[in-house]
Amino acid sequence: MDAIDRSLVELLRGNARLSYAELARQVGLSAPAVHERVGKLESGGVIRAYRAEVEPESIGLGVTALIGIVEDSDADTDDVLEAFRQMPEIESCYFMAGVESFLLKARVGTIAELEQLIVRLNRTPGVASTRTGIALSTKWENRPQPIEPVTS
Amino acid sequence: MDAIDRSLVELLRGNARLSYAELARQVGLSAPAVHERVGKLESGGVIRAYRAEVEPESIGLGVTALIGIVEDSDADTDDVLEAFRQMPEIESCYFMAGVESFLLKARVGTIAELEQLIVRLNRTPGVASTRTGIALSTKWENRPQPIEPVTS
DNA sequence: ACACTCCGTGGACGCCATCGACCGGAGCCT
DNA sequence: AGGCTCCGGTCGATGGCGTCCACGGAGTGT
């Protein structure tokens, strides 16, 4: 993970569809060298995936909610997690410090669907209570921040 | 935005680096047809960007926090937003219903940096108070959910 | 029926991805 | 020091891909 690798990661975070040839020009290596480096970043787990970022409304997901979860004192956290994993509406899941063990980011089409999701969450074994906040608008999301040149 | 467009969006959400030729095979069209459709999805704002998803720890961003912001009663929301926009640590920014006007997802390298960020947030004109939750671990993030075949 | 538009196909051509061969420097053993 | 090995790069070749363009059929309004 040297300076060139960091440049490659930064370039691909900005535009995942850059060709190897273009990446090579940007970092001053040959295309095969870049190909190999990127391959290692992928198999080494640094690059997890390449995703198109889509306007949620246009795929029928206009409602974004952030939901805090309080667990029962005797809950099995792994089971709760597994239940959440089965709910495709939950796009992100953080295990948090604090009273609320989890914070979920969920996306649904309508408020009615959100209601159903919350009911399902509250019914989930191990879940004591939920607290839902609705995002009225998303100002930005997953903005990549420039990589600080830390020598590691 | 027909069924084929939805397939293309779904394929690219799963893997943004698929070639046009491969997309074409998957949806049963020719490569130029796919090229044109994807171009229209991009310029029409449906596809906003293509990003590599990176393991945050490996780029020195091991600490994730979710921060709720309460505004002063006389705050100018646009100014507050603009101040947030200047802080690269803030990866996502949602305008929320409820007492906390904003919910921010921030990523920093260390707890010390988080402390500095919180201080800066509290000093920001228009910000009355902040409430920070620390993510101990990220179970998953930005998992794409399958597109429901809504006819719109 | 005609013309127009939209959206696709097929062909062509230059660039790109990817493989294999080669090469030079770093580290190490003798 | 000399030489071995390994790592990681360049170079060259080739098959596939991206992308432009000309063409054609379905649907539509006049």
Side-chain angles (χ1 to χ4, degrees):
Chain A
M1 193 69 189
D2 61 3
I4 291 182
D5 281 341
R6 260 177 270 121
S7 302
L8 290 173
V9 166
E10 186 144 17
L11 288 164
L12 287 169
R13 284 219 297 173
N15 180 5
R17 279 183 79 80
L18 288 174
S19 67
Y20 291 117
E22 182 60 29
L23 291 169
R25 278 188 287 269
Q26 301 271 342
V27 303
L29 287 183
S30 64
V34 167
H35 188 256
E36 188 178 346
R37 276 173 176 266
V38 172
K40 284 181 182 170
L41 288 170
E42 290 167 1
S43 58
V46 175
I47 295 178
R48 290 203 182 121
Y50 300 99
R51 303 204 177 288
E53 194 182 295
V54 172
E55 186 184 45
E57 295 78 18
S58 58
I59 53 170
L61 296 175
V63 176
T64 303
L66 289 131
I67 308 174
I69 303 284
V70 179
E71 280 184 296
D72 284 330
S73 51
D74 61 349
D76 181 325
T77 297
D78 289 345
D79 290 350
V80 173
L81 243 184
E82 191 49 37
F84 292 166
R85 206 181 293 276
Q86 301 302 322
M87 304 183 191
E89 304 92 326
I90 301 175
E91 288 196 348
S92 304
C93 173
Y94 306 93
F95 186 62
M96 304 289 290
V99 176
E100 295 177 348
S101 310
F102 294 101
L103 196 133
L104 312 177
K105 187 186 79 180
R107 218 163 234 150
V108 293
T110 63
I111 297 289
E113 284 169 39
L114 178 57
E115 179 176 338
Q116 290 170 17
L117 174 62
I118 294 171
V119 168
R120 257 186 296 147
L121 286 170
N122 277 305
R123 277 192 195 139
T124 299
V127 170
S129 69
T130 65
R131 184 181 61 90
T132 300
I134 292 184
L136 301 173
S137 79
T138 299
K139 298 307 180 186
W140 66 86
E141 208 167 23
N142 298 124
R143 177 172 62 159
Q145 55 177 296
I147 298 177
E148 54 194 297
V150 177
T151 47
S152 66
Chain B
M1 193 68 190
D2 61 4
I4 292 180
D5 281 341
R6 259 176 272 122
S7 302
L8 290 173
V9 165
E10 185 144 17
L11 287 164
L12 287 170
R13 285 218 297 172
N15 180 4
R17 278 182 81 78
L18 288 175
S19 67
Y20 291 116
E22 182 59 30
L23 292 169
R25 278 188 286 270
Q26 301 272 340
V27 303
L29 287 182
S30 64
V34 167
H35 188 253
E36 189 178 346
R37 277 173 176 266
V38 172
K40 284 181 182 170
L41 289 169
E42 290 168 0
S43 57
V46 175
I47 295 178
R48 290 202 182 123
Y50 301 99
R51 327 215 87 111
E53 194 181 295
V54 172
E55 186 184 44
E57 295 77 17
S58 59
I59 53 171
L61 297 174
V63 176
T64 304
L66 289 129
I67 309 173
I69 302 285
V70 179
E71 281 183 295
D72 284 331
S73 51
D74 62 348
D76 182 325
T77 297
D78 289 345
D79 290 350
V80 174
L81 243 183
E82 190 51 35
F84 291 165
R85 205 181 294 276
Q86 301 303 320
M87 303 182 191
E89 304 92 326
I90 302 176
E91 287 197 348
S92 304
C93 173
Y94 305 94
F95 186 62
M96 303 290 290
V99 176
E100 295 178 347
S101 309
F102 294 101
L103 197 135
L104 313 176
K105 186 185 80 181
R107 217 163 235 150
V108 293
T110 63
I111 297 289
E113 284 169 39
L114 178 58
E115 178 176 339
Q116 290 170 17
L117 173 63
I118 295 171
V119 169
R120 258 186 295 147
L121 286 170
N122 277 305
R123 278 192 193 139
T124 301
V127 169
S129 68
T130 66
R131 184 181 61 91
T132 300
I134 293 184
L136 301 173
S137 78
T138 300
K139 298 308 179 185
W140 66 88
E141 209 167 23
N142 298 124
R143 178 173 61 160
Q145 55 177 295
I147 298 177
E148 54 195 299
V150 176
T151 48
S152 67

